[in-house]
Amino acid sequence: GDLDQTLTPLQKMCVLRALRPDRVATAVVDFVAQELGEKFVEPPVFDIAVSYEDSTKASPLIFLLSPGSDPVNEMLEFAETR
């Protein structure tokens, strides 16, 4: 209602934090996307060739996998080109 028109997006997040702390993370992502742009909330595209060039024997590539991610095919394709 009236508060929706009078509060700034940041103030709305503060109220949300007080009432529904479980929703703050989503609200922050929405806030950043709205205020700064989508490029700040979208994960970067992984380029194994660039990462490989940055790696050394002292700092190898380490993959932290999340459920559903599988870099094996991309690694095999990259290995065939090298």
Side-chain angles (χ1 to χ4, degrees):
D2 190 36
L3 286 178
D4 192 42
Q5 296 174 357
T6 59
L7 295 178
T8 67
L10 183 60
Q11 290 170 330
K12 290 176 188 176
M13 278 197 313
C14 291
V15 172
L16 185 65
R17 184 175 184 270
L19 300 176
R20 292 294 306 264
D22 59 311
R23 303 268 176 118
V24 172
T26 303
V28 168
V29 171
D30 293 341
F31 176 79
V32 170
Q34 178 184 353
E35 296 296 319
L36 300 177
E38 289 289 328
K39 71 177 186 176
F40 289 97
V41 295
E42 293 294 321
V45 177
F46 177 69
D47 186 356
I48 195 166
V50 172
S51 297
Y52 178 77
E53 294 299 323
D54 287 342
S55 68
T56 65
K57 292 178 185 177
S59 61
L61 290 178
I62 298 174
F63 292 92
L64 301 177
L65 303 177
S66 59
S69 66
D70 186 12
V72 172
N73 288 337
E74 189 175 355
M75 287 177 51
L76 292 174
E77 288 175 12
F78 176 72
E80 289 177 6
T81 64
R82 292 288 169 159

